[in-house]
Amino acid sequence: MSLIPIALDPGNYQIKICDGSQPRAIRSVQYRLPRGVNALKPLKNSPLVELEDGTRYHFGHQAFKYAAQEQTITQDKALLAKLHFYAAIETVHGDLRLLVSHHSPDYYAPVLKKSLLGKHAFKRNGVLHQVNVVSVEVIPEGLGAYWSAQQAELTPESGYSIVIDLGGSSWLYRVIDSEGDIIAQDVGDRFGSYHLAKQIAADERLKTPLRRFGITSPDPGTILDGFTRGHTYAETGITWTDWLPEYLDPWFKTILGTVQTACTAHLPMTRRFIVAGGAAHLVESKLRTVQPFIVLPNPAFSNVLGMFHHAVPQSLPVVA
C-alpha cells in the first residue's frame, strides 16, 4: 500500500504543513460558527471547515473578523490537532502517512494518535475530503529543524548540536549528537513569543497611542502578528520598534542562560547552536555573526520541512 506522506507542525501561532509542494502556514486561530451565522469568505489560508455533523469552523486571519475567536496559544494545541489537520490539508482523498510534531511527544503521542488515526470525512472550503490516516508518527518538535540543518550541511561531523526552537507559546532545546540521537532536552512552557507580546501589550508607550483608536487593552495575539509585519499594531501604524530591545534582549538572554546552565556538561562537546521556530527571526540579526550560532533559513518552516524530507529523502531541495 502506497501512503501519501504529510508533515504537520500544529504550532500555537501558525499551523504548518508540507506535502511535497511549498510548505503552507495558517494563523492558528479559529472561530466556531453558530448555525445561524453566515460565514465570511473562505480563503486558501483562511479555510472554512465543516464537519459531518454540520459544525463549522473558520480558521486563519478571517477568524479575527468575527465578534469572538479562540487563539490556539491560549489552549492545548494537542486537543485541537484534528481540526488543525483539517484546516491545513489539501489532499482530497487517499491513505496517509502523517508525521506530526509536538514539544512533549512522550506524553501527548497517545492523544495525537487517537485523534488522528483512522478515516476522516469533512468539507474544506466547500470541497469534500475523505482520507484515511493509516500511520501517525509523533516527532519531537525541533528534531525536524535539526534534520533541515543536516540537509543543508550545517551540522558538525562530530560533537553535539543544540537546537533552540523559539515558538509562540513555548520554547525548547534539544541536545543532539552527530548520529542524530537526542541526549538531553527540556521545554520552557508558556515562555515563548506570546510571553514577550504580553509584556509589550502592557507598556504605556503602546497603550496610550492606541487609545486614540478606541483600543484600551492591546491584544497580545495582534502583537504576535506585528512581529512579522514591521512591529506595528494591526492597521494603526503604532509601532514598538524603538523600544522592542528593552523586552526582547532580556527575554532571549533568559532563554539562552537557561539552556547554557542546563547544558553545562554538554557545552564542551557542542559545536553548533541551531536556532529555529516561528520567533527565530526576532533574534536573527543579533546572532548573524555570533559563532557557533546559526539561525536556519526560513526558520518558521524548518521543522516541518525537515520532517517531510526525513520521511521522503531526495524529495526536497536543500534549504539554504
Side-chain angles (χ1 to χ4, degrees), residues 11-22:
N12 284 294
Y13 175 63
Q14 288 181 320
I15 308 163
K16 287 149 288 197
I17 195 166
C18 183
D19 56 11
S21 59
Q22 288 296 316

Side-chain angles (χ1 to χ4, degrees), residues 178-192:
S178 58
E179 295 180 348
D181 292 327
I182 298 173
I183 59 175
Q185 57 193 329
D186 200 3
V187 176
D189 202 18
R190 302 299 170 188
F191 199 69

Side-chain angles (χ1 to χ4, degrees), residues 30-37 39 47-59 66 70 80 82-83 86-87 121-126:
Q30 61 277 337
Y31 175 68
R32 179 173 177 173
L33 281 80
R35 293 188 182 274
V37 173
L48 180 67
V49 171
E50 182 176 346
L51 307 184
E52 289 185 289
D53 64 1
T55 304
R56 297 171 300 160
Y57 292 87
H58 213 149
F59 287 84
Y66 296 95
E70 293 181 311
L80 296 170
K82 182 187 291 187
L83 284 174
Y86 293 172
F122 59 96
K123 289 183 179 178
R124 183 186 187 277
N125 288 352

Side-chain angles (χ1 to χ4, degrees), residues 262-307:
C263 299
T264 299
H266 304 299
L267 292 180
M269 289 287 290
T270 298
R271 303 290 180 264
R272 177 76 74 188
F273 283 85
I274 299 168
V275 183
H281 69 283
L282 294 172
V283 299
E284 195 276 336
S285 62
K286 299 178 183 297
L287 301 177
R288 190 174 296 144
T289 59
V290 180
Q291 293 294 332
F293 286 85
I294 182 169
V295 178
L296 288 180
N298 210 0
F301 287 108
S302 58
N303 190 57
V304 73
L305 280 166
M307 287 196 297

Side-chain angles (χ1 to χ4, degrees), residues 146-157 272 294 318-320:
Y146 174 82
W147 289 334
S148 282
Q150 192 175 47
Q151 178 196 7
E153 299 182 349
L154 297 174
T155 55
E157 294 183 359
R272 177 76 74 188
I294 182 169
V318 172
V319 181

